[in-house]
Amino acid sequence: MSSQTQLTPPRDDERSPSTTRNVLVIVALVWTVQLVALIAALSGIAQADIAIHFRTTEIAWFTLMTLLTGTFFLPFAVKAAAVFGKKRVLLVATGLGFTGDLIAAVATDYRTLLIGRGIAGIYTASAPLAYAITRDVFPRKWVGVASGILAGGVGLVAFGGPFLSGWLLDDYGFRGVLWFMAISTAASFLLVLAFVPESPIRAAAGRMDWAGGILLGGGVTAIIYAVGQGTHWGWGSGKFIAWVAGAAIALIAFVFVERKVAEPLFPLSMTRRRPVWTVLLATSIAAGSLSAVGVVVQLLILMPKIPTISEGLGWSGTHNAIVTSPISAMIIIGAVGTGLLSRRMDARILLGTGAALAVLGYGIGTHLHHSAPQIIEMGVIAGLGTGIVMAIVPIMIIEVVTPEEQALANGVQTLGQGVAQIVVSQLAFVVMAQHGAVLKGTQFYLDAGFTNGLWLVVGCVAAGAVLVALIPRSKRLDEVEVGQAA
């Protein structure tokens, strides 16, 4: 065990936690982790109405602002968690997320709304911290099940989220959706405060690597901002090239800084190991691309049908929920099944299978997406694959790192997945806008735009599937060291 890591032995009453207590911890962590996905789903449902209400062609920034600030602050949150405690930092991130949600809910102009969404993005750090706590506080036999349930909760979000958001949107408008986000984040804070124990694993002493954090967060944020502005600046413009070059310089400087500091933000010795970097790369691209598909699908379903202007399906939020419920059920089945199979099956096979199913489903959808039966056909196949991919990601991280590296590895994976999601999402907006029109300040899309957007996602997920071949065989979940076992 690293000399920089201190493992506090569990107290007598923590050595054999009761089933009830374990269940309560899982419930609190599931809500915390899946609130990130739920808010993303609610944002996707609400973005069409928000674009029309505020008459903006910049609706992409409604989602992008959240991902932008979340990406920048994530490295600091992960490092702070290692030093000060994962629960403590989780509560800070949740509290700031609530503040941002509250600002967005009361905003009367689009700029203020974006500021609120930006502050709320800090909540993104809650997911990797919650996964790390799972490894630290549960006994070995609970780790795989708990991780699978946390990841599998995306199916519950996918199942209940559309019904919830459809009801909120149809009855209360996008304001109802924004207020629900604020209330849900407050509930997350209370659940963590009441039921989640502090992790016994943390750095014995440490200082924040401010230089490394600013270089990493700033470099990644610059790339994301440049991609977001690429359409307006021009992809070959000097301004776009300057931002990308600046980002590259910052990231190169980050590598040099991390080699010199005594307590690096993300130890390069960890990310240089082949099992680690290959898992991070494949899972980030596959899961990030699947997270971005909602940009295309939700706009396809909810945008109105206007001859020669918009070829969305024009469904209500409730109708969308009814049609997509079988898809959500398949996500749950895939995720829960993966949690059970992960103890017996090579995780690489599960990741590759899930990505392949998603490619098949959305590949079918590139041409067949004009009616409810076609949406269901596309989504059932892709939903099963999505459930498998999302559930296996945290399990694969557990299999290739030590307990003391868990939060850092989760942070790197979340960072990589977030960058992939942002880039693919922004490119999807660009691709779709090539076949669309602006009416009264709002961007609408034609059928060819939706088709090309789906093809973009298919290609990116396929790239993630191919990268699975680089991952070497590692320990299975029932062979790895967990926090309490250490």
Side-chain angles (χ1 to χ4, degrees):
M1 185 173 295
S2 169
S3 60
Q4 297 296 316
T5 302
Q6 176 181 350
L7 179 60
T8 303
R11 300 189 307 268
D12 290 340
D13 62 339
E14 294 177 330
R15 295 181 189 278
S16 301
S18 69
T19 298
T20 300
R21 181 184 172 191
N22 284 333
V23 169
L24 289 174
V25 175
I26 289 176
V27 169
L29 292 178
V30 164
W31 181 258
T32 299
V33 168
Q34 295 312 321
L35 188 55
V36 176
L38 178 60
I39 288 177
L42 292 172
S43 299
I45 293 291
Q47 64 184 352
D49 271 23
I50 290 173
I52 294 171
H53 176 83
F54 288 103
R55 296 188 177 184
T56 178
T57 59
E58 304 292 334
I59 190 58
W61 287 96
F62 177 63
T63 302
L64 183 61
M65 280 300 296
T66 304
L67 297 172
L68 202 65
T69 54
T71 300
F72 182 83
F73 285 103
L74 179 62
F76 296 105
V78 171
K79 179 65 175 180
V83 176
F84 302 112
K86 299 180 181 71
K87 177 180 178 178
R88 185 175 298 175
V89 176
L90 185 57
L91 289 172
V92 171
T94 306
L96 290 173
F98 169 71
T99 301
D101 286 334
L102 196 59
I103 293 173
V106 301
T108 56
D109 61 89
Y110 192 53
R111 177 173 294 185
T112 304
L113 177 66
L114 292 183
I115 291 173
R117 296 303 302 138
I119 297 172
I122 299 174
Y123 185 81
T124 304
S126 64
L129 296 181
Y131 280 120
I133 288 175
T134 299
R135 179 175 187 163
D136 294 350
V137 304
F138 286 108
R140 185 188 302 275
K141 66 179 181 180
W142 279 80
V143 171
V145 175
S147 297
I149 291 174
L150 260 63
V154 70
L156 296 175
V157 169
F159 188 83
F163 285 98
L164 173 65
S165 56
W167 166 64
L168 290 170
L169 193 64
D170 294 345
D171 289 4
Y172 301 100
F174 71 87
R175 292 286 179 191
V177 175
L178 295 177
W179 274 110
F180 182 83
M181 291 180 183
I183 295 170
S184 299
T185 311
S188 175
F189 182 92
L190 294 175
L191 285 170
V192 171
L193 183 65
F195 299 120
V196 177
E198 180 58 271
S199 166
I201 297 177
R202 66 180 67 180
R207 292 175 295 178
M208 183 64 69
D209 179 13
W210 293 106
I214 291 172
L215 288 170
L216 177 60
V220 172
T221 302
I223 291 175
I224 294 168
Y225 182 72
V227 171
Q229 295 291 86
T231 303
H232 302 291
W233 294 343
W235 297 100
S237 67
K239 197 169 186 179
F240 177 79
I241 293 172
W243 274 83
V244 173
I249 292 171
L251 294 176
I252 292 171
F254 166 74
V255 173
F256 283 101
V257 167
E258 296 304 276
R259 288 178 174 176
K260 299 294 184 180
V261 298
E263 300 173 31
L265 200 67
F266 291 130
L268 298 180
S269 59
M270 177 187 75
T271 54
R272 278 199 300 261
R273 300 200 304 264
R274 184 183 170 190
V276 177
W277 72 259
T278 53
V279 165
L280 294 174
L281 181 63
T283 59
S284 294
I285 293 177
S289 301
L290 286 175
S291 298
V293 74
V295 166
V296 182
V297 175
Q298 294 299 337
L299 288 175
L300 164 66
I301 289 174
L302 296 171
M303 275 292 187
K305 192 169 187 65
I306 306 172
T308 73
I309 300 294
S310 174
E311 293 184 336
L313 298 178
W315 294 352
S316 68
T318 302
H319 185 58
N320 167 58
I322 294 171
V323 173
T324 58
S325 58
I327 304 170
S328 305
M330 294 306 296
I331 293 178
I332 297 172
I333 291 171
V336 174
T338 298
L340 297 173
L341 291 173
S342 62
R343 297 180 67 88
R344 306 178 184 87
M345 185 177 293
D346 191 328
R348 297 172 299 177
I349 296 175
L350 292 170
L351 178 61
T353 301
L357 287 170
V359 166
L360 176 62
Y362 290 123
I364 293 172
T366 56
H367 294 291
L368 302 176
H369 56 255
H370 305 101
S371 65
Q374 290 178 352
I375 294 293
I376 292 173
E377 179 184 13
M378 169 184 73
V380 165
I381 300 171
L384 180 61
T386 299
I388 294 172
V389 171
M390 295 305 181
I392 201 60
V393 168
I395 292 173
M396 292 186 78
I397 299 296
I398 290 176
E399 290 178 346
V400 297
V401 300
T402 63
E404 53 266 30
E405 295 173 331
Q406 185 69 45
L408 293 175
N410 283 352
V412 175
Q413 197 282 328
T414 300
L415 184 66
Q417 181 174 325
V419 172
Q421 179 182 351
I422 293 168
V423 171
V424 175
S425 297
Q426 288 304 103
L427 291 177
F429 278 112
V430 172
V431 167
M432 291 190 297
Q434 302 306 308
H435 299 276
V438 177
L439 177 65
K440 294 183 179 180
T442 302
Q443 176 72 60
F444 294 96
Y445 309 95
L446 297 174
D447 187 68
F450 294 124
T451 294
N452 292 339
L454 286 171
W455 272 123
L456 173 70
V457 173
V458 166
C460 293
V461 177
V466 171
L467 290 171
V468 174
L470 297 176
I471 303 174
R473 181 174 178 80
S474 60
K475 294 179 180 179
R476 289 200 307 272
L477 186 61
D478 58 355
E479 300 172 333
V480 301
E481 179 186 22
V482 298
Q484 289 197 344

